[in-house]
Amino acid sequence: MSPELIQAAADNRWAAIAPELSLGCLALLLLVLEIFLPKNRQSIIPTVAITGQIGLLLGFVWNLRYGPFVAYETFSGLIRHTQEGQFMRGFFMLTSILVCILGVIALAKQKLPKVEFFAITLVVSAAMMLLAQSNHFVLFFVALETVTVGFYILVSYFRTSPLSLEAGLKYLITGALSSAILLFGIVLLYGVAGNPTLPGSSSDSMNFNALRVFLEANPDNFLASVGIVFVLAGVAFKIGAVPFQIWIPDVYQGAPTPVTAFLAVASKAAGFSVLLILTKNVFGSYQTLLVPVLSVMAIATILFGNLAALTQHNVKRLIGLSGVSHAGYLLIAVIAAATEPLAAGAVYFYLFAYLLASFAVFGVMTHVAGANDADQDLEHYTGLAKTHPFLGAILAIGLGSLAGIPPLAGFMGKLLIFIAAFKAGLYTLLAVAIVGVVVSIYYYFGWIKAAYFSTWTAPLLEGETDTRPARTPVSLTAGMTLGLLAAATIVLGFYQGALGEWLLAR
Amino acid sequence: MSPDIFFYLFSALTAGSALAVVLCKNTVASALSLLVSLVGVAALFILLDAFLLAALMVFVYAGAVVALFLFIVMLIDTYGGVRKPFKKATIVASGLGLALLVTGLATLAQRGSIATPEFAGTTAPLVPVGASLRAYGEQLFTTYLLPVQIVGFLLLIAMLGVIVLSKKFEGLEDVK
């Protein structure tokens, strides 16, 4: 073998991706346990999954201050370890734990295999962690496809429900289309940056560093511009930005509620962490192209998401469309991040506040939902605050944070984004975003109103049964998780502590 | 003959039969057009000296994937049936799409022309990774070992998905 290859083999430092490896091994362990444990003992498998991940997360946070690989590249430049990457790693591990906790509650209502759900969730989370650190289009695409294929399965996991299968099919077709567009963009960039007659060309032009050098040397290359737009379109599909939001309502409604939460939080966060890497570093010299494209996208996303959410009665569709508008606010911060260093930190803070609030709301939704997971209407929430004051309180805090009501964490997130946009001089976008926030308060408070204020419901006639599903009693684990999420939402609104310091220092 | 002629010939073959995949009314004919299109792509790879990729293209796509397509087409038996006339919205959308395509191609022709690369003697000729099995394998197991491992996990969860979504489970009530 040539010395270059030996060098490349030596650069595969597996210790650098220990968290991802451990998650993958934990997934394998779950499958092995399923084979060897007797049927009546298999109930411990979800517990193993959740406690194992909590252990991993604690170990990861404990090791954060050492971070021997931060600011280095490993795996022959496939991975670049950054502080932002470390943050996203912790973020995805936390999401994975929460999805597993919600999964236990939701799967208990279904007659379906249980273990595979946790195994797939773990593998998808590990792939997202790699995606957020990738520095090369090969790793980027492979990790992205692992995430997407995992989601195809998870979305149609409740296969006894036709809506879940329909959602899986819709996600498969639109996902495949977006992957094709993304891949075409990557190939165009690879091809044009590998052209030896152009300055700054490279034989390894899938590498982000090489691509950045090439794009800086060729500031107005037409083929590269087409490639960049295609790559952005592929990523925009993941974050659900208009005009690539077409799949969101149906898929969010049909998917099992924990998977909807996973899609809404983790998939979107993965998309934004990648978008930040691409627009800030790799495509940084093409701002004249990026700013108009992303601005139009952000305006359309905020307006569409908020206006379409106004008329929804199904809460899963409502939260899906409101998630579209959140993607719009985040896009503003991505645009501002080119000139304003505060903006990148604002994106990460917003994502974290969004995680806390969304999982609080989704946790309540899992408890209110019945066996038919796709049918979750606003009506099902009438009197929730009276019969289940705990769930009602969590719902109000979660929705309040999503709406951006002070002093909750969601308000701080929006405030940071607006400050960043103001400093970057994006006044039009700022105005649209404020209109969007005002509109969003209407539908978020409609939901809170359904839970808190009794409305007249038709009395049951003889022989009629209540169509509203029975609410699941809150277990100790779920109660503690939801309580922690709500408490963190409130605390983070008042005091951002080390997290805020770290985010705003860059 | 210069290789340019072959390039245009096989490009036309690939693009033409790809169009036929979409336009053919008979699904079997569509699948066979896909086969021709993939063989055309394999020929383009040969022109680029990527012999391994060409062989893989024929084995995997033309051999296995299209055969699978044909199996499914014959299993679900989708013959006959009158195609509905196009809706107004479809016509408007396709008109818009065509206009966009023409604009794009015109812009490409005007701005996107690429100079033919002239390899000066100073740069060492690149060894294409897709040319030989050895070079390809060595790259896979050194530089790209991590993506290969991730693909292993991808295939694992895909297999799990097939089991979860299609297997008949019995006695799930016992499993809590």
Side-chain angles (χ1 to χ4, degrees):
Chain A
M1 279 204 305
S2 66
E4 290 88 33
L5 289 179
I6 294 169
Q7 170 67 34
D11 204 25
N12 290 347
R13 308 276 294 276
W14 296 97
I17 54 163
E20 289 84 355
L21 282 182
S22 320
L23 266 187
C25 291
L26 189 59
L28 296 181
L29 176 73
L30 298 183
L31 296 176
V32 172
L33 282 179
E34 190 193 15
I35 299 172
F36 287 111
L37 280 182
K39 277 249 152 75
N40 54 359
R41 301 283 303 280
Q42 290 202 349
S43 55
I44 66 154
I45 292 179
T47 321
V48 171
I50 293 168
T51 45
Q53 287 185 87
I54 292 176
L56 269 179
L57 182 63
L58 290 180
F60 172 75
V61 172
W62 179 254
N63 278 316
L64 259 185
R65 53 193 162 147
Y66 304 118
F69 292 101
V70 168
Y72 286 98
E73 291 181 4
T74 51
F75 291 92
S76 324
L78 290 184
I79 291 186
R80 192 180 147 84
H81 302 274
T82 54
Q83 290 289 356
E84 289 84 356
Q86 298 287 68
F87 176 77
M88 291 317 288
R89 269 176 156 179
F91 184 95
F92 292 131
M93 273 195 254
L94 186 60
T95 354
S96 181
I97 296 169
L98 293 168
V99 169
C100 287
I101 292 174
L102 295 193
V104 174
I105 306 167
L107 281 169
K109 297 171 192 165
Q110 310 284 336
K111 285 183 192 169
L112 285 170
K114 314 258 190 295
V115 180
E116 287 78 1
F117 180 88
F118 300 100
I120 297 172
T121 305
L122 292 189
V123 173
V124 168
S125 312
M128 282 181 181
M129 287 158 71
L130 288 175
L131 184 63
Q133 304 175 79
S134 58
N135 192 41
H136 195 283
F137 271 128
V138 170
L139 180 69
F140 173 87
F141 190 71
V142 168
L144 189 72
E145 277 305 279
T146 311
V147 173
T148 319
V149 169
F151 270 122
Y152 296 151
I153 303 158
L154 289 176
V155 165
S156 41
Y157 200 89
F158 285 2
R159 63 175 204 194
T160 43
S161 148
L163 278 171
S164 181
L165 289 178
E166 182 196 330
L169 186 70
K170 278 190 177 153
Y171 193 57
L172 175 72
I173 292 172
T174 47
L177 182 69
S178 86
S179 289
I181 295 175
L182 178 73
L183 202 55
F184 194 35
I186 294 175
V187 167
L188 277 178
L189 285 172
Y190 173 70
V192 73
N195 183 349
T197 50
L198 293 174
S201 73
S202 155
S203 61
D204 185 23
S205 49
M206 294 235 194
N207 188 303
F208 286 175
N209 305 339
L211 192 60
R212 197 189 67 229
V213 170
F214 171 81
L215 291 176
E216 275 164 8
N218 299 273
D220 188 36
N221 185 295
F222 180 70
L223 278 181
S225 309
V226 176
I228 288 172
V229 170
F230 279 11
V231 169
L232 287 184
V235 177
F237 171 85
K238 298 287 167 233
I239 60 178
V242 174
F244 304 98
Q245 88 303 352
I246 198 98
W247 56 281
I248 291 224
D250 288 344
V251 172
Y252 274 47
Q253 187 193 356
T257 310
V259 179
T260 311
F262 204 13
L263 266 179
V265 178
S267 187
K268 195 172 287 158
F272 272 104
S273 67
V274 163
L275 195 63
L276 263 185
I277 296 174
L278 289 176
T279 52
K280 238 183 111 182
N281 300 331
V282 187
F283 303 155
S285 46
Y286 274 61
Q287 290 299 335
T288 44
L289 172 73
L290 292 177
V291 170
V293 170
L294 291 178
S295 301
V296 170
M297 221 184 237
I299 292 174
T301 306
I302 292 171
L303 292 180
F304 175 88
N306 283 316
L307 294 180
L310 278 180
T311 56
Q312 298 299 328
H313 288 287
N314 185 302
V315 290
K316 281 169 101 181
R317 293 179 86 87
L318 193 157
I319 203 138
L321 288 164
S322 80
V324 170
S325 68
H326 285 286
Y329 307 137
L330 282 161
L331 271 177
I332 294 181
V334 169
I335 300 166
T339 48
E340 177 54 48
L342 175 76
V347 171
Y348 292 115
F349 185 86
Y350 195 99
L351 283 174
F352 193 65
Y354 185 67
L355 177 151
L356 297 173
S358 294
F359 271 99
V361 173
F362 278 110
V364 176
M365 282 164 70
T366 334
H367 283 94
V368 174
N372 183 358
D373 198 69
D375 175 39
Q376 298 187 28
D377 213 79
L378 274 180
E379 276 178 24
H380 299 169
Y381 285 79
T382 38
L384 181 76
K386 242 179 215 162
T387 55
H388 296 73
F390 177 69
L391 287 183
I394 302 284
L395 184 75
I397 292 171
L399 288 175
S401 181
L402 285 179
I405 303 302
L408 301 167
F411 169 73
M412 286 309 295
K414 286 208 169 75
L415 189 66
L416 283 177
I417 285 189
F418 291 171
I419 291 174
F422 183 77
K423 278 187 166 179
L426 306 168
Y427 302 117
T428 323
L429 288 174
L430 194 59
V432 173
I434 289 171
V435 171
V437 171
V438 172
V439 172
S440 79
I441 289 174
Y442 174 79
Y443 56 79
Y444 283 128
F445 274 69
W447 194 347
I448 296 179
K449 196 184 107 204
Y452 272 83
F453 300 101
S454 51
T455 45
W456 182 85
T457 41
L460 294 177
L461 297 172
E462 214 171 310
E464 240 181 15
T465 47
D466 197 346
T467 50
R468 287 180 297 169
R471 287 157 192 162
T472 320
V474 185
S475 71
L476 182 67
T477 333
M480 268 170 54
T481 316
L482 291 181
L484 276 179
L485 286 171
T489 303
I490 296 173
V491 170
L492 212 55
F494 284 113
Y495 174 67
Q496 290 77 37
L499 179 78
E501 232 168 72
W502 176 83
L503 285 171
L504 301 183
R506 43 208 56 250
Chain B
M1 274 199 288
S2 74
D4 272 4
I5 295 179
F6 285 114
F7 174 76
Y8 289 120
L9 190 69
F10 286 120
S11 299
L13 182 74
T14 308
S17 44
L19 206 61
V21 176
V22 186
L23 295 180
C24 273
K25 277 186 185 168
N26 188 326
T27 33
V28 175
S30 281
L32 289 176
S33 311
L34 183 64
L35 185 79
V36 177
S37 178
L38 292 171
V39 170
V41 174
L44 288 175
F45 276 136
I46 289 180
L47 289 181
L48 290 171
D49 285 350
F51 304 109
L52 177 73
L53 284 184
L56 284 179
M57 198 78 198
V58 174
F59 285 152
V60 177
Y61 285 98
V65 173
V66 173
L68 214 64
F69 277 9
L70 283 173
F71 259 120
I72 292 166
V73 165
M74 286 170 186
L75 268 179
I76 58 176
D77 193 25
T78 56
Y79 290 105
V82 188
R83 220 169 64 179
K84 287 176 201 157
F86 291 118
K87 285 181 201 156
K88 246 183 203 159
T90 318
I91 297 170
V92 172
S94 52
L96 276 177
L98 186 72
L100 277 177
L101 185 69
V102 169
T103 324
L105 286 179
T107 324
L108 192 67
Q110 194 193 342
R111 286 186 55 194
S113 60
I114 312 165
T116 324
E118 282 175 28
F119 291 96
T122 49
T123 50
L126 293 166
V127 182
V129 177
S132 79
L133 196 55
R134 191 193 164 87
Y136 190 67
E138 282 181 349
Q139 285 281 337
L140 277 191
F141 282 92
T142 52
T143 317
Y144 296 108
L145 188 56
L146 177 63
V148 171
Q149 299 287 350
I150 302 174
V151 170
F153 271 98
L154 196 164
L155 293 177
L156 174 78
I157 59 168
M159 195 171 68
L160 283 180
V162 171
I163 295 171
V164 167
L165 295 183
S166 62
K167 195 185 159 205
K168 219 175 192 176
F169 290 98
E170 276 163 14
L172 273 174
E173 287 92 316
D174 313 335
V175 188
K176 273 277 161 77

